[in-house]
C-alpha cells in the first residue's frame, strides 16, 4: 500500500506514524498518509526560512513567471488531479475539475500581481520632501486546510503568498492528502526553488506545532468554526497574523414572484452538489408566502432525480460522503429532524448504489429534503455538511432576512426573485459576506476577496483578491529628502515635524 509522504525542501520525506486514506465510493483503504509532529514541522519551517532569504530577493517578474508556468501545468494535468481528488474525497470528477478551475483563477490573479502591488507616491508633501509606500512579504507563512476542497482552498492561499515573496508550509486535510503532493510536484516542475512550497501532513499535533512555531509569521485557516476559533486564538497568542474561515449555514430565499422551476433547479444543484460538502452549499431554502407548497413539490421531484454513484462514473451527479463517520452523522441528523417535528419529504438514508456493486460498502446517503423545519430544530441550527436541504417557511422577505441575521453563520446566501427592489433590500439587509441574486452558490471571482461574516470568519481577513495580498504583505511608508542647496534648506526644529 502507498504511503503519502511529507514534501519538504523539494523532496518527499517519510514519517514515523501514519493514518488510512479511504476511497469513499468503495469504503476501501487506498493509501496511508504520514502524520507529522513538531520535528517535521520544524524541518519544513527551517527549509522555508532558508528559501525565503533568496525567494524574497527574487524579482517580481521571476516570481510571476513561475506562476505562469505553474498555471500552464495545472491546465495540462487537470484531469489527473481531478481523478486524485475524486478518489479520496468522493466528489465527481467534473466537480473536481470545477474546483481546480476556480483555484487556477487565483494563480491567474497572482500572475498579474505586478499591477496589484504597485505602491503610491506623493510629490512635495513638504518643501523638498516626497513620500512613497511599498509592501514586503512576511516570511514563512502556513496554510491549514479542510477536506472538502483539497486543491481549491490551498490554491486560495499559496499562489498569492508565494508570488508576493513569502515561503509556504501547507498542512492539508489528512482525509484527502494526495492533491497537496501533486501540486508540490507541479510547482517543482514550474521552476519554484526547493523550500518555497512545503507540505506537512497530519492532524492536531502538526497543527499545534505550526500555531506555536516562532518561525511562522502568519497562518491561513479554512475549516469548521470551532477549529477556526481555536486556530485564531492560539496563533494570535503566539504573535502571528491570522485569517480563519469557519463553517456555514447558507440560506436561499425564494419569493413568490420567482421562477420556481429555475429556483428549484439551482437550489437542488447548490444543495446536493458535492453531496452538500461545500461551505457555500445551500442547506436551507426559505420559502416565502404562497411559494412554499409549490416549491417543496418541485424540490422533492428534483431531489429524487439526482443520480448518485461513484464520482468517476459517467453521468453521476453526486458521490458519497467523505467518511463512514460523516455518513452516520448525517443519517442521524435526518432521524433527529423527524423526531423534532420536521417532515422528511425525501429520505436518503440507507441508499444502495445498485448499479455499482463495487460501492456496496461506500459512504453513500441519498439527497434528503426536510420540510416544516423551524429555527429551533438541530437540523436548522447545526451545520450538517451533507446532502440535506431544510425548508423553512416564512411570511415575508423581512421575516426571511431576520431569520438569516439571527443565524450565527454568515457565509453565503441567495435570493430568487424577479424584483429589483426586493433584491436591493435583501443585499443591503442581510448580515452575510457573499450574496447571490438568482445565483445559488455565489463564490466570488479570484480578484475579489472571499469571506463570510459572523461565525463564518473569525478575525477580520477574508482570503484571496486584494485582501489576500494585504494579508501576505506588510506596508512601508518612506519619507524622503535629498540634500538641497544651502539656501533652500529648511532648518531643523525641535517641535514635532509638520509640513511647510
Ligand atoms: P475541520 O475543521 O475538521 O478541519 C480543518 C483542518 O483543521 C484540517 O486540516 C484538520 O486536520 C485540522 N483540524 C481538525 N481538528 C483539529 C483540532 N482539534 N486541532 C487542530 N487542528 C484540527 O474541517 P473539515 O471537516 O476538514 O472541513 C469542513 C469544514 O470546513 C466545514 O465546517 C466547512 O463549512 C468548512 N469550510 C469553510 C470554508 C469557508 O470558506 N468558510 C471553506 C471550506 C470549508
Amino acid at each position: 500500500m502507498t504511503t503519502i509522504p511529507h514534501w519538504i525542501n523539494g523532496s518527499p520525506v517519510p514519517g514515523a506514524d501514519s493514518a488510512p486514506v479511504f476511497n469513499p465510493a468503495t469504503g476501501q483503504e487506498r493509501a496511508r498518509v504520514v502524520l507529522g509532529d513538531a520535528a517535521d514541522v520544524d524541518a519544513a519551517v527551517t527549509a522555508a526560512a532558508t528559501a525565503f532569504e533568496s525567494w524574497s530577493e527574487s524579482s517580481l517578474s521571476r516570481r510571476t513567471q513561475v506562476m505562469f508556468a505553474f498555471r500552464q501545468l495545472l491546465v495540462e494535468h487537470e484531469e489527473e488531479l481531478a481523478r486524485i481528488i475524486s478518489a479520496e474525497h468522493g466528489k465527481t470528477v467534473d466537480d473536481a475539475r470545477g474546483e481546480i478551475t476556480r483555484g487556477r483563477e487565483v494563480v491567474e490573479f497572482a500572475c498579474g500581481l505586478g499591477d496589484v502591488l504597485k505602491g503610491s507616491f506623493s510629490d512635495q508633501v513638504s518643501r523638498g520632501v516626497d513620500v512613497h509606500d511599498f509592501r514586503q512579504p512576511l516570511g514563512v507563512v502556513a496554510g491549514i486546510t479542510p477536506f472538502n476542497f483539497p486543491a481549491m482552498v490551498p490554491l486560495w492561499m499559496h499562489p498569492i503568498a508565494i508570488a508576493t515573496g513569502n515561503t509556504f508550509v501547507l498542512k492539508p486535510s489528512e482525509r484527502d492528502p494526495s492533491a497537496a503532493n501533486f501540486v508540490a510536484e507541479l510547482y517543482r516542475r514550474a521552476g519554484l526553488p526547493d523550500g518555497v512550497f512545503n507540505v506537512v501532513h497530519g492532524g492536531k499535533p502538526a497543527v499545534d506545532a505550526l500555531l506555536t512555531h516562532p518561525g511562522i509569521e502568519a497562518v491561513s485557516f479554512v475549516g469548521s468554526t470551532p477549529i477556526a476559533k481555536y486556530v485564531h486564538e492560539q496563533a494570535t497568542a503566539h504573535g502571528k497574523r491570522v485569517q480563519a474561515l469557519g463553517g456555514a449555514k447558507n440560506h436561499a430565499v425564494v419569493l413568490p414572484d420567482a421562477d420556481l422551476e429555475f429556483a428549484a433547479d439551482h437550489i437542488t444543484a447548490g444543495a446536493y452538489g458535492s453531496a452538500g460538502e461545500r461551505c457555500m452549499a445551500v442547506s436551507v431554502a426559505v420559502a416565502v408566502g404562497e411559494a412554499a407548497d409549490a416549491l417543496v413539490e418541485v424540490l422533492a421531484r428534483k431531489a429524487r432525480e439526482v443520480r448518485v454513484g461513484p464520482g468517476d462514473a459517467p453521468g453521476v451527479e453526486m458521490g458519497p460522503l467523505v467518511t463512514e463517520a460523516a455518513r452516520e452523522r448525517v443519517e442521524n441528523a435526518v432521524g433527529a429532524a423527524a423526531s423534532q417535528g420536521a417532515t422528511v419529504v425525501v429520505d436518503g438514508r440507507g441508499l444502495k448504489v445498485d448499479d455499482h456493486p463495487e460501492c456496496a460498502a461506500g459512504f453513500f446517503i441519498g439527497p434528503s429534503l426536510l420540510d416544516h423545519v423551524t429555527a429551533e430544530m438541530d437540523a436548522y441550527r447545526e451545520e450538517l455538511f451533507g446532502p440535506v436541504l431544510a425548508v423553512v417557511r416564512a411570511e415575508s422577505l423581512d421575516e426571511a432576512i431576520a431569520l438569516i441575521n439571527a443565524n450565527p453563520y454568515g457565509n453565503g446566501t441567495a435570493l430568487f426573485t424577479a424584483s429589483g427592489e426586493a433584491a436591493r433590500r435583501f443585499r443591503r439587509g442581510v448580515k452575510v459576506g457573499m450574496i447571490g441574486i438568482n445565483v445559488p452558490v455565489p463564490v466570488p471571482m479570484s480578484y475579489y476577496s472571499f469571506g463570510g461574516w459572523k461565525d463564518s470568519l473569525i478575525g477580520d481577513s477574508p482570503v484571496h483578491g486584494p485582501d489576500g495580498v494585504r494579508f501576505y504583505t506588510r506596508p512601508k511608508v518612506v519619507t524622503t529628502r535629498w540634500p538641497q542647496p544651502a539656501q533652500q534648506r529648511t532648518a531643523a526644529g525641535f517641535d514635532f515635524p509638520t509640513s511647510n
Side-chain angles (χ1 to χ4, degrees):
M1 177 145 326
T2 321
T3 299
I4 300 152
H6 306 300
W7 180 270
I8 298 173
N9 209 18
S11 303
V13 171
D17 213 356
S18 68
V21 178
F22 290 93
N23 178 339
T26 62
Q28 304 302 312
E29 191 173 321
R30 74 185 294 270
R32 296 192 69 82
V33 60
V34 292
L35 297 176
D37 55 18
D40 300 312
V41 166
D42 191 53
V45 175
T46 303
T50 305
F52 179 74
E53 287 169 24
S54 49
W55 183 246
S56 58
E57 287 300 315
S58 63
S59 69
L60 181 56
S61 1
R62 159 110 173 86
R63 284 181 265 136
T64 50
Q65 273 162 22
V66 169
M67 285 298 149
F68 273 104
F70 176 57
R71 182 216 171 260
Q72 185 56 30
L73 288 164
L74 277 173
V75 172
E76 288 166 12
H77 295 276
E78 181 180 287
E79 177 73 15
E80 220 174 326
L81 180 54
R83 287 190 179 276
I84 289 171
I85 294 169
S86 173
E88 291 183 356
H89 174 284
K91 65 176 73 176
T92 67
V93 173
D94 281 346
D95 190 28
R97 275 196 204 101
E99 81 156 276
I100 297 166
T101 302
R102 296 306 303 263
R104 198 177 65 224
E105 287 167 3
V106 183
V107 184
E108 286 157 9
F109 174 74
C111 288
L113 212 60
D115 194 40
V116 187
L117 272 182
K118 276 191 301 207
S120 46
F121 182 92
S122 299
D123 176 62
Q124 191 79 344
V125 295
S126 185
R127 272 185 294 146
V129 177
D130 307 322
V131 175
H132 74 279
D133 69 355
F134 67 106
R135 304 189 74 90
Q136 287 189 310
L138 305 179
V140 181
V141 299
I144 301 162
T145 52
F147 80 86
N148 65 325
F149 286 106
M152 182 184 77
V153 168
L155 279 163
W156 285 351
M157 304 169 181
H158 53 73
I160 298 178
I162 290 172
T164 49
N166 300 278
T167 55
F168 202 88
V169 180
L170 174 63
K171 205 304 285 172
S173 171
E174 60 276 40
R175 296 184 207 152
D176 44 13
S178 293
N181 288 43
F182 191 84
V183 163
E185 174 61 23
L186 296 188
Y187 264 135
R188 191 189 63 75
R189 291 170 57 185
L192 192 72
D194 291 348
V196 177
F197 180 77
N198 307 276
V199 180
V200 175
H201 293 290
K204 184 171 167 51
V207 171
D208 286 343
L210 288 167
L211 302 181
T212 54
H213 198 295
I216 289 182
E217 297 293 327
V219 174
S220 302
F221 174 87
V222 176
S224 59
T225 294
I227 310 298
K229 286 183 174 166
Y230 171 77
V231 165
H232 189 264
E233 197 181 285
Q234 287 296 309
T236 50
H238 287 84
K240 302 178 198 322
R241 203 175 261 208
V242 187
Q243 49 184 189
L245 274 56
K249 197 78 183 172
N250 306 312
H251 300 61
V253 178
V254 183
L255 295 188
D257 69 358
D259 177 333
L260 282 194
E261 191 70 27
F262 174 86
D265 220 18
H266 283 266
I267 290 173
T268 301
Y272 305 127
S274 200
E277 291 173 322
R278 290 180 185 146
C279 65
M280 291 292 275
V282 177
S283 49
V284 180
V286 187
V288 175
E290 72 235 36
D293 287 342
L295 179 69
V296 170
E297 200 182 307
V298 192
L299 285 173
R301 170 166 50 83
K302 291 184 183 295
R304 291 191 187 99
E305 286 168 4
V306 175
R307 292 189 296 274
V308 183
D312 59 355
V316 164
E317 293 169 313
M318 188 185 115
L321 289 182
V322 68
T323 57
E324 176 59 17
R327 192 189 62 75
E328 262 179 48
R329 180 177 47 74
V330 176
E331 286 210 343
N332 291 342
V334 174
S339 64
Q340 289 176 12
T343 310
V344 182
V345 182
V346 180
D347 191 345
R349 290 174 292 176
L351 176 98
K352 295 274 169 278
V353 189
D354 291 333
D355 32 350
H356 294 278
E358 76 282 11
C359 294
F363 311 140
F364 290 94
I365 173 173
S368 298
L369 179 67
L370 310 174
D371 193 7
H372 299 288
V373 173
T374 64
E376 293 72 38
M377 292 179 189
D378 292 342
Y380 177 79
R381 291 188 307 108
E382 287 168 12
E383 182 186 32
L384 303 183
F385 224 55
V388 182
L389 177 63
V391 177
V392 178
R393 293 166 181 240
E395 287 302 312
S396 63
L397 175 59
D398 288 341
E399 191 184 320
I401 292 174
L403 179 80
I404 293 169
N405 290 350
N407 193 285
Y409 296 109
N411 214 39
T413 189
L415 177 71
F416 286 87
T417 184
S419 160
E421 185 278 328
R424 187 167 190 275
R425 189 143 50 97
F426 181 77
R427 71 162 168 77
R428 296 194 74 244
V430 284
K431 293 178 181 161
V432 173
M434 295 171 282
I435 298 163
I437 305 297
N438 298 309
V439 174
V441 183
V443 176
M445 297 302 289
S446 63
Y447 35 90
Y448 287 84
S449 298
F450 180 110
W453 283 24
K454 302 186 277 181
D455 277 0
S456 296
L457 189 150
I458 314 302
D460 68 350
S461 179
V463 292
H464 72 59
D467 282 295
V469 175
R470 190 184 54 76
F471 182 77
Y472 291 122
T473 54
R474 276 192 194 98
K476 275 182 176 169
V477 182
V478 185
T479 304
T480 304
R481 172 164 50 205
W482 293 103
Q484 291 172 304
Q487 64 277 22
Q488 289 175 18
R489 283 185 198 164
T490 35
F494 282 79
D495 297 338
F496 196 68
T498 53
S499 298
N500 59 61

